[in-house]
Amino acid sequence: MTTPPPRGRPPAIPRLARAAAALVAVVCLAHVLWSGLAHRPVALAFGALVALGELTRRADAEAREAAPLGAAGALAYALLGEVAGHAAPHGVAQTVAVVLAASLAGSVPYTARGSGPVLDHLARRVLTVAFAAVCFQPLAAQGTFRDWSGPAHVLLLIALLALTTLCDAVLAAATAHARTGWPFGPLLREELRGMVGITSAVCATGVVMALAVGVAGLWALPVFCVPLLLAQLSYRRYAAVRATYRQTIASLARATEIAGYTPAGHAHRVAELSGAVGRDLGLSGAEQSVLEYAALMHDIGQLSLVDPVPAGATASLPVPEQRRIALLGGAVVRQTGVDPAVAVVVERQADPCRDQPPAARIVRVVNAYEEKARDAGPGGGLAALEALRLAPADDYAPDVVEALARVLSRGSLTGPAAG
């Protein structure tokens, strides 16, 4: 089983990334302090843009890019070769120094409230901007791209940004892998999927800003900031709706606990552990959402029972009774207006594992583990895992059971809290 990294000390990869970012930052800041700030109006304009992006950052923990406007401004400054037709040789060191200073300045209000960006965020920002600037600025200063005009120049910037975002995705996946122990491949795939969404908008805005400033000057910055700010505002509203939606589902899931059909906290524990198993198995973001909602509502069919199941332990019931409760639960979920995919998972959680969708296999295994571990007392986690492994082949998917074992090995194998 995977051994978790020692507590209280960051894993090796995040520490290396922070050390590399700190070294780059110190070298760049020292160079700028020694040689002075070139093209101050341009540096101040882009610095103000990055700081504004940090001030308007999203606070939700699930945000893939918390400060899209700041990221777009930073990338645009790194890929800026001209300002209103005149060369802008600010260089790599000044690019990194300005972006770092602006990011820190924009983070002051959040830091004062104790919710500022973590070091990993700043480290990735510094390394990403430094990589893009190293690829573009030295060649631009030598006039290498003077003959690259029109579509050729646009394609060059897009190619550089694609390479930059790919490196950033690899760094993000490696950092998450080092911290959590989840497989690197699924984490990288999830990061690459995210490039289709907000990352694409950030890259496109960065390219457009760099090209527009090169032609029209600094007046282009406020014009091209507006679309990304509007998109960010729309995302905030969407995130608020999604949070309300999740709270509604969580409230529905608690109905079985309030009515005394299941132990307190059972649905939450199953949902949390199911999400960890789903990440270990490489489920996508959309699949993770369906899995979370189905895990929260997996016992809602028990509300149709006249006599509650003792301790809500449906895993010990005869298979026909399990299927009847699952079908009742699916019918209830369909009446709530929740995504039909959630209802499918709920109503198929008692089917043979070979016929179940992946999310239903996970919910079935995790629910059975939680019930068996809770009933087994101290040290029941190991006994519950062993029982799942020894069960008939059609009861629990072996790959899900092993994924559950890996997830538990990163924390502890003690039984769940008693309901």
Side-chain angles (χ1 to χ4, degrees):
M1 295 184 180
T2 306
T3 301
R7 293 186 179 182
R9 185 181 183 188
I13 293 179
R15 282 189 284 118
L16 289 175
R18 293 179 186 179
L23 178 61
V24 170
V26 168
V27 171
C28 293
L29 288 172
H31 182 275
V32 171
L33 291 174
W34 178 263
S35 60
L37 198 64
H39 291 80
R40 293 195 176 192
V42 177
L44 292 175
F46 276 94
L49 177 62
V50 174
L52 176 63
E54 291 293 336
L55 286 171
T56 58
R57 67 173 25 253
R58 302 198 299 268
D60 51 307
E62 297 181 359
R64 184 170 300 277
E65 174 51 67
L69 182 60
L75 290 174
Y77 193 45
L79 301 178
L80 184 67
E82 294 183 346
V83 178
H86 300 287
H90 45 279
V92 175
Q94 180 167 314
T95 300
V96 175
V98 168
V99 169
L100 177 60
S103 298
L104 291 173
S107 302
V108 169
Y110 298 96
T111 304
R113 296 199 301 264
S115 59
V118 296
L119 291 177
D120 290 341
H121 166 74
L122 288 176
R124 283 179 58 189
R125 176 64 58 81
V126 168
L127 293 176
T128 300
V129 171
F131 180 85
V134 166
C135 291
F136 181 82
Q137 289 295 331
L139 296 177
Q142 296 174 9
T144 305
F145 303 132
R146 287 175 184 171
D147 296 331
W148 293 57
S149 59
H153 189 59
V154 175
L155 290 176
L156 170 68
L157 295 183
I158 292 176
L160 288 177
L161 280 179
L163 184 59
T164 300
T165 53
L166 178 61
C167 294
D168 183 62
V170 172
L171 178 60
T175 301
H177 170 70
R179 286 192 177 281
T180 64
W182 298 332
F184 175 78
L187 288 171
L188 180 59
R189 285 197 299 271
E190 191 62 24
E191 290 292 333
L192 294 177
R193 288 191 192 107
M195 293 174 63
V196 180
I198 187 64
T199 305
S200 299
V202 168
C203 292
T205 305
V207 169
V208 170
M209 281 183 181
L211 294 173
V213 171
V215 175
L218 295 177
W219 291 106
L221 284 182
V223 174
F224 290 99
C225 286
V226 174
L228 199 56
L229 281 173
L230 292 176
Q232 187 169 338
L233 178 61
S234 299
Y235 182 89
R236 282 185 174 179
R237 291 181 176 178
Y238 166 76
V241 171
R242 184 179 177 185
T244 303
Y245 181 71
R246 188 189 183 286
Q247 290 171 1
T248 301
I249 291 178
S251 298
L252 288 171
R254 289 195 64 228
T256 58
E257 301 174 9
I258 295 173
Y261 284 86
T262 58
H266 170 72
H268 175 75
R269 291 192 295 272
V270 171
E272 184 177 15
L273 193 50
S274 294
V277 173
R279 285 188 293 269
D280 186 272
L281 291 172
L283 268 61
S284 66
E287 293 170 328
Q288 281 286 111
S289 296
V290 171
L291 172 62
E292 178 189 11
Y293 299 152
L296 284 170
M297 304 182 74
H298 74 281
D299 272 331
I300 202 167
Q302 295 195 43
L303 292 175
S304 302
L305 301 178
V306 176
D307 297 319
V309 178
T314 55
S316 59
L317 295 176
V319 173
E321 184 66 9
Q322 291 185 37
R323 290 179 180 170
R324 186 176 76 87
I325 295 174
L327 290 174
L328 290 171
V332 172
V333 172
R334 291 182 190 279
Q335 294 297 320
T336 63
V338 177
D339 186 351
V342 177
V344 171
V345 174
V346 171
E347 65 190 10
R348 296 186 63 185
Q349 60 180 311
D351 291 354
C353 65
R354 63 177 182 277
D355 300 328
Q356 292 176 313
R361 297 178 186 176
I362 294 171
V363 172
R364 179 177 175 84
V365 168
V366 173
N367 177 62
Y369 167 80
E370 208 278 338
E371 292 178 0
K372 293 177 184 296
R374 183 182 66 228
D375 296 337
L382 288 172
L385 273 178
E386 190 65 20
L388 295 179
R389 285 171 170 151
L390 296 177
D394 278 348
D395 284 0
Y396 308 110
D399 59 328
V400 178
V401 175
E402 294 311 312
L404 173 62
R406 290 193 297 270
V407 168
L408 293 170
S409 71
R410 296 169 196 143
S412 78
L413 290 177
T414 58

